[in-house]
Amino acid sequence: MSYDRSHYDRPHRGGGNRRRYKDDYDAHDRRTRDSFESPEQILKNTIIKLGEVDPIQELPRLAKQIREQVPLSVPVISEAIRIAVTEQPYKIPYYAALLRLLHDPTEGENAESSTSSSLGKQVLEDFWKGFQGYLDKLAWRDVRLCIHFFAHLTVAQVISIESMSALLQSFAAVLDEFGVSYGRGRNAALCAIEGLIISGAVMAKSSSSNTTEIIKTVQNYNDSIYAPKLLVQPAMSLFTESRSLENADEVIDTGLFVLKALDSFEFVEASESFPQPYLDFPDLDPTVSAPFELPAILVPPEVIELDGLATDAGEDAQVKKEDWPQYFFHLFDNDTTPDSATPAGFLVRSQILDTIDIFEINRKECARLLLEYPKWCVPGTFKPKPGAPEPEFESGKNWQLESTVIEAILGSLYLLPESTHKTVYHIALITELCKLSPSTVGPAVGKSIRRLYTALGDGFDVENARRFAEWFAVHMSNFGFQWVWKEWLPDLELSEQHPKRTFMRRALEFEIRLSYHDRVLKTLPEPMQNDTTVISDQTPGPAFEYEDPAHPHYDTAQSILSLLRGRSKANEVLSHIESLKTTLESSGTHLHVDNTIRSISIHCLLSIGSRSFSHLLNAIERYLPLLRGLAGTDAESKQDILSAVASFWHLNRQMVNIVFDKLMQYQIVDPTDVVGWTFENVGGDAHLGGMRPMSLSAFEWDLLKGALDKANGRVMVARRKVAALRKEHDDSVARVKASVGADVGSIEMDADVKPFKQDDSASENPQLTVALKAFASLTREQKGALARTIEGFVSCLAPSPSAGRQNPYAETVITEQAWEVRATWSADEWNTWETWGWYRHFCRTASIFESYSPYLRNYQETLGTVGFAKIEGSTSPAAKLMKKTWGMATGQES
């Protein structure tokens, strides 16, 4: 019988549904086979899911289930524990307790598991192989969490104190390496610090422990990292070089403080700071169950990516992204959230941050786990939920869980110069927490917003203030824009450029982007609605300058618009524009004909593309020849185009940034042109006019950042292309050499065959030659953009005496005396202070560019020399601070 499908596809035949039923049964069988779990998989999942009800009660049952497993697979057990340790760090003490139970020799073990060493040791030996794999890959978070596991096992007497001490000493030795990067040093230091906090209680009692030496090594390393810490503090201070802040702490500083405090009292407090369920078990007899000896390790060196791309000096470039010190901002007092200067507070924050990091891929699961976190802490660490029974004993902490979690998330968001994850992840995570428990998380979020708002007037870093405005706006949009704005009505009496007033404007601007003008306007109290320095009285949209029939160039603009709307060819539009230009010149009434024509043309082009983003892209792409013709090759023409764009979209500054980006993308203008235009047109926020001192707001910084990112991105693309072409060329040369060598070795060379010459090199590869030229050109453009940015900041903060726009406040706002009376500052003084903040952030960002484009390292001294040429030799405080800040960011000043 044929089973061809056509036989069953004929209509009106009996039994025609049999095939469909057979397919359904086959699909069911496949699902059944797919859903079947082997005994090993069931055991693995059971281990990973430890503690879903009560981990203390589950531990003996799970240990028994593991021992009774037939056949017993040690790799499956160790893999499950390894996954759980690195993905569920809050469960680590309980997995240490599980291994402690497995470490006991038990009568009645099945034959497969009966060996000379205990089951716990066998699992630990296999677990060590996975740890070595993490170490070889320098997966620092996984390495550090495994060290937590080893530290708990040391307290549980499963691992010997001597081998644990040697392990921590191996990480401390990293800090003594010559030229160790901060990222490597910080990760190694945290491994040593957190391992000591957990295991220090037993290590302090051992004569072979080297606790003091490890602490001293970390201290010496921390003392050597001074300058970078000054640039990444969440509160900006221009007049002091103190590393300590009242409302923030640096993670290594705090870890050292905790270690020293514990060491002075022999780590007594540590045992009360985290769960130690394994201490409920009887002590191990070392003669029966000898402790496991951790093998010696050597932390591998950092991986340096080499792509064979030579710098201008002919040297290979090394690609290595540097990390910065991490300062965490405090929103609440130590009675509300954990004090990070205590062992419990330090480890609680570390575990919450690890959970946030691990579950980035699943924010919903992350939110659920964070709200269940007290389950894995010492009883009494957090206040019980409303309606829950009181804890058996009071620990003296009783912190608020929701405030602790929100503070940790926002602390991660406000790390400088870049947050750990994308801003949208932190925002979405807070939103999920609010949805899961609105009655408890909502008040914590409200308190956080108020604390951050208060910090704005106390020097909160300008970049963090921008992120705060973004988070506030998105969060409000997720919950109906419900905020008690009347609380901030008294602040309308502050200077227009006070950080609190600036925050109001930016937050409302972001809210309007997420909704619409009238919707946001109705959420404000009447005094704010009527204040144009808070929210504009005009709806964001295009501003076509030549729309009014009374405008002298109305007819000219309409003639160009008719051609563009009719989709005339670009060359026809250009010809028409040239004729209009001739007409205007012959009239003799216009002094700047070229500028006027360019302004009219750009306004018309943007007008037909103003309906949507797709309309804008279509207009730009269709009339690229027109744009290139208008831009020409001179800088003045490009400046005119940028000015016309800014004029057309001055009511919607987001569109200015978008259009500038597209003009750079299509190479109508260069990043250097955007940088130059930005500094030529700076003046703080848009509502302030006149010949004020040159200053930057967040809007101008966004333009600068977009231009610098574009320049850097082009270089990276060209760099990868050169690397790929060079590899392809080298491979082809190697194949030719191999084929010629094989011919010579196998047959006698014919007289007509020409031997391969060593001179056949990349110079004969036209694609590679073109790519190298493009790379060199883009590199010069990138250097030029960075140098022009430095020059622009110099013109704002340290202008020469002959400059047209002086800034008398650049040297006063950086003094302690002026800062103490900041409540009396004018708008220009606050603008100048904000410009200093953006300069500091530029220096931090420039160092990131250098880490991605390492050939800039060889150029950084020259870059500073070129950028600071106008203030070379100047002894003014502003000039000195500018050069010092640049030196600290680029590593030239320690």
Side-chain angles (χ1 to χ4, degrees):
M1 180 176 178
S2 172
Y3 288 94
D4 182 69
R5 177 175 294 273
S6 60
H7 177 77
Y8 293 96
D9 287 343
R10 298 174 188 173
H12 312 300
R13 290 185 63 90
N17 290 328
R18 292 181 208 162
R19 179 58 179 262
R20 185 187 55 169
Y21 294 147
K22 183 177 185 300
D23 290 344
D24 291 342
Y25 284 123
D26 289 345
H28 173 73
D29 291 342
R30 285 195 299 271
R31 287 194 299 269
T32 303
R33 288 195 300 269
D34 292 342
S35 62
F36 174 76
E37 291 183 339
S38 64
E40 290 81 6
Q41 188 63 42
I42 294 175
L43 179 62
K44 182 178 178 181
N45 291 337
T46 303
I47 294 173
I48 293 174
K49 294 178 181 179
L50 168 68
E52 288 192 349
V53 179
D54 187 334
I56 298 297
Q57 294 182 4
E58 293 176 22
L59 279 172
R61 293 199 300 266
L62 180 57
K64 181 180 179 182
Q65 180 181 350
I66 291 173
R67 291 183 182 276
E68 294 176 351
Q69 182 77 17
V70 179
L72 185 63
S73 176
V74 171
V76 170
I77 300 170
S78 67
E79 182 186 7
I81 295 177
R82 189 164 57 245
I83 291 172
V85 164
T86 55
E87 296 185 8
Q88 303 175 104
Y90 40 85
K91 293 185 182 180
I92 289 177
Y94 300 94
Y95 285 109
L98 175 63
L99 206 65
R100 163 65 182 80
L101 289 175
L102 297 179
H103 192 70
D104 285 332
T106 303
E107 295 182 4
E109 287 185 348
N110 52 53
E112 288 82 358
S113 63
S114 179
T115 59
S116 57
S117 61
S118 69
L119 177 58
K121 280 190 176 180
Q122 296 176 55
V123 173
L124 196 50
E125 287 173 355
D126 197 80
F127 185 95
W128 178 265
K129 298 176 184 177
F131 168 73
Q132 189 65 55
Y134 295 143
L135 191 62
D136 292 340
K137 294 185 295 185
L138 290 179
W140 284 109
R141 187 191 68 212
D142 295 334
V143 168
R144 179 168 50 81
L145 295 178
C146 287
I147 288 177
H148 285 204
F149 184 56
F150 296 147
H152 281 286
L153 289 174
T154 303
V155 180
Q157 302 177 330
V158 176
I159 290 176
S160 70
I161 296 174
E162 293 76 11
S163 64
M164 184 65 195
S165 178
L167 177 66
L168 297 181
Q169 183 62 52
S170 298
F171 287 97
V174 172
L175 307 178
D176 291 328
E177 294 175 355
F178 176 77
V180 59
S181 68
Y182 182 79
R184 177 178 172 84
R186 185 193 66 207
N187 286 312
L190 284 176
C191 289
I193 289 172
E194 295 181 7
L196 265 182
I197 291 175
I198 297 171
S199 62
V202 295
M203 293 181 63
K205 300 176 183 178
S206 173
S207 58
S208 61
S209 172
N210 53 358
T211 302
T212 304
E213 289 78 5
I214 293 175
I215 295 176
K216 184 178 180 180
T217 301
V218 178
Q219 180 68 63
N220 292 338
Y221 169 75
N222 193 49
D223 291 340
S224 67
I225 307 298
Y226 180 75
K229 292 186 178 183
L230 300 177
L231 289 181
V232 293
Q233 293 175 340
M236 186 175 73
S237 178
L238 298 173
F239 55 83
T240 181
E241 295 187 359
S242 173
R243 293 195 315 195
S244 61
L245 293 176
E246 182 180 354
N247 295 320
D249 72 284
E250 199 276 324
V251 64
I252 301 298
D253 287 342
T254 307
L256 270 173
F257 181 86
V258 171
L259 272 184
K260 290 178 180 178
L262 287 174
D263 189 43
S264 62
F265 292 99
E266 297 184 345
F267 290 83
V268 174
E269 186 182 350
S271 60
E272 304 173 358
S273 304
F274 44 84
Q276 295 178 306
Y278 38 77
L279 294 183
D280 295 336
F281 306 145
D283 290 341
L284 287 172
D285 184 354
T287 61
V288 178
S289 300
F292 182 79
E293 298 290 335
L294 296 174
I297 66 163
L298 180 65
V299 180
E302 287 179 297
V303 178
I304 298 178
E305 179 187 338
L306 295 175
D307 66 355
L309 181 59
T311 64
D312 293 340
E315 300 173 356
D316 285 335
Q318 298 182 359
V319 177
K320 179 179 64 177
K321 184 177 180 180
E322 298 286 352
D323 288 320
W324 285 77
Q326 292 185 338
Y327 273 92
F328 289 93
F329 196 71
H330 301 168
L331 295 173
F332 305 98
D333 56 41
N334 294 333
D335 295 330
T336 304
T337 56
D339 179 5
S340 57
T342 63
F346 188 85
L347 291 178
V348 163
R349 184 175 69 182
S350 177
Q351 287 187 352
I352 291 177
L353 290 173
D354 285 335
T355 303
I356 294 170
D357 188 33
I358 292 168
F359 287 90
E360 180 193 10
I361 59 174
N362 190 341
R363 67 181 187 277
K364 294 179 181 292
E365 182 69 6
C366 183
R368 183 186 68 81
L369 292 172
L370 289 174
L371 292 180
E372 294 178 357
Y373 178 67
K375 173 182 179 180
W376 307 101
C377 299
V378 174
T381 300
F382 293 99
K383 288 183 178 180
K385 294 180 180 180
E390 292 293 327
E392 297 179 3
F393 63 92
E394 291 291 335
S395 67
K397 299 181 179 69
N398 284 319
W399 294 315
Q400 294 180 5
L401 172 66
E402 293 78 11
S403 297
T404 300
V405 170
I406 295 298
E407 185 179 71
I409 295 172
L410 293 178
S412 176
L413 173 62
Y414 296 135
L415 290 175
L416 294 170
E418 294 179 314
S419 57
T420 309
H421 301 288
K422 296 288 187 181
T423 301
V424 67
Y425 170 59
H426 297 94
I427 296 175
L429 180 57
I430 293 176
T431 300
E432 293 300 331
L433 288 166
C434 290
K435 291 179 179 178
L436 283 178
S437 183
S439 61
T440 58
V441 180
V445 172
K447 292 176 184 177
S448 300
I449 291 173
R450 292 176 176 91
R451 297 293 175 88
L452 288 168
Y453 180 77
T454 301
L456 290 171
D458 297 327
F460 199 46
D461 189 89
V462 293
E463 167 63 12
N464 279 340
R466 185 190 63 79
R467 296 180 198 171
F468 174 33
E470 285 185 353
W471 168 55
F472 177 85
V474 177
H475 190 78
M476 291 300 108
S477 73
N478 288 331
F479 296 96
F481 297 99
Q482 299 177 22
W483 181 250
V484 191
W485 285 95
K486 63 181 181 181
E487 293 181 2
W488 297 342
L489 283 177
D491 294 329
L492 295 181
E493 302 299 324
L494 298 171
S495 168
E496 294 180 6
Q497 290 303 104
H498 189 281
K500 291 182 179 180
R501 298 286 303 277
T502 302
F503 167 79
M504 292 183 198
R505 282 194 299 275
R506 292 173 187 165
L508 290 171
E509 181 181 346
F510 292 153
E511 285 189 7
I512 291 171
R513 294 180 188 179
L514 297 167
S515 181
Y516 55 94
H517 183 269
D518 291 344
R519 170 73 174 87
V520 174
L521 185 67
K522 292 176 182 178
T523 65
L524 302 177
E526 187 174 352
M528 288 186 175
Q529 293 182 12
N530 299 328
D531 191 339
T532 57
T533 64
V534 175
I535 185 170
S536 174
D537 57 354
Q538 295 179 288
T539 301
F544 187 32
E545 183 180 345
Y546 308 98
E547 190 174 16
D548 186 359
H551 196 282
H553 299 299
Y554 172 80
D555 293 335
T556 302
Q558 289 300 313
S559 65
I560 297 176
L561 269 178
S562 63
L563 290 175
L564 298 178
R565 288 169 178 164
R567 299 191 177 188
S568 300
K569 294 182 179 180
N571 58 347
E572 295 177 359
V573 180
L574 273 172
S575 300
H576 181 69
I577 289 174
E578 286 298 323
S579 65
L580 293 174
K581 179 181 174 182
T582 303
T583 303
L584 289 177
E585 287 175 343
S586 61
S587 66
T589 58
H590 294 83
L591 298 177
H592 305 287
V593 176
D594 290 338
N595 304 45
T596 304
I597 286 294
R598 277 190 287 266
S599 176
I600 296 172
S601 302
I602 295 299
H603 269 251
C604 292
L605 183 62
L606 293 177
S607 178
I608 66 170
S610 62
R611 292 181 59 186
S612 67
F613 186 65
S614 58
H615 282 79
L616 173 65
L617 287 181
N618 289 335
I620 292 177
E621 290 175 356
R622 183 182 303 120
Y623 291 107
L624 277 176
L626 171 62
L627 286 169
R628 293 193 177 104
L630 293 172
T633 57
D634 60 304
E636 182 182 357
S637 301
K638 297 177 180 179
Q639 295 295 306
D640 288 343
I641 291 177
L642 295 173
S643 296
V645 172
S647 171
F648 185 85
W649 286 113
H650 74 272
L651 296 177
N652 189 345
R653 298 193 296 181
Q654 180 187 21
M655 287 303 300
V656 176
N657 209 332
I658 291 174
V659 177
F660 278 18
D661 178 75
K662 293 306 170 186
L663 292 178
M664 288 188 288
Q665 177 181 334
Y666 291 106
Q667 298 184 349
I668 305 302
V669 298
D670 297 327
T672 307
D673 298 320
V674 175
V675 171
W677 182 91
T678 302
F679 282 108
E680 289 295 329
N681 295 271
V682 293
D685 276 332
H687 69 280
L688 298 175
M691 291 299 290
R692 294 175 174 269
M694 296 176 65
S695 57
L696 266 72
S697 68
F699 167 65
E700 284 87 14
W701 168 251
D702 287 342
L703 296 181
L704 288 177
K705 183 67 163 49
L708 296 175
D709 285 343
K710 185 69 69 175
N712 187 61
R714 286 179 180 177
V715 169
M716 294 304 295
V717 170
R719 180 174 175 270
R720 287 193 291 267
K721 183 175 182 180
V722 169
L725 289 172
R726 179 166 288 169
K727 184 178 184 300
E728 179 183 343
H729 175 76
D730 292 343
D731 291 344
S732 64
V733 170
R735 285 194 298 269
V736 172
K737 286 184 178 180
S739 62
V740 171
D743 291 342
V744 171
S746 59
I747 61 173
E748 186 176 351
M749 185 178 293
D750 187 84
D752 294 334
V753 177
K754 296 182 180 179
F756 178 81
K757 295 182 180 180
Q758 298 294 333
D759 295 338
D760 296 339
S761 61
S763 60
E764 297 183 5
N765 186 331
Q767 287 183 319
L768 181 56
T769 301
V770 171
L772 284 169
K773 289 181 179 179
F775 173 75
S777 175
L778 292 173
T779 302
R780 287 193 298 270
E781 177 184 286
Q782 183 191 41
K783 294 174 182 177
L786 286 170
R788 181 67 184 85
T789 304
I790 297 176
E791 292 174 356
F793 275 110
V794 168
S795 63
C796 290
L797 299 173
S800 62
S802 60
R805 295 171 69 179
Q806 294 293 314
N807 192 345
Y809 308 109
E811 295 185 4
T812 59
V813 298
I814 61 177
T815 63
E816 184 174 6
Q817 294 79 7
W819 180 248
E820 294 299 329
V821 295
R822 59 187 179 278
T824 63
W825 279 6
S826 65
D828 287 336
E829 287 172 297
W830 279 117
N831 265 339
T832 303
W833 182 85
E834 183 178 3
T835 305
W836 273 110
W838 290 122
Y839 173 67
R840 285 164 58 93
H841 190 56
F842 160 71
C843 292
R844 297 186 296 234
T845 306
S847 68
I848 297 175
F849 290 157
E850 290 175 7
S851 64
Y852 281 110
S853 303
Y855 42 80
L856 287 177
R857 295 176 184 271
N858 302 327
Y859 187 69
Q860 62 187 9
E861 186 173 348
T862 306
L863 190 64
T865 302
V866 173
F868 297 123
K870 293 182 180 179
I871 57 174
E872 185 63 32
S874 175
T875 58
S876 70
K880 288 182 177 179
L881 182 58
M882 290 194 74
K883 290 186 281 190
K884 184 174 184 178
T885 304
W886 174 259
M888 288 192 296
T890 55
Q892 300 177 56
E893 182 169 339
S894 59

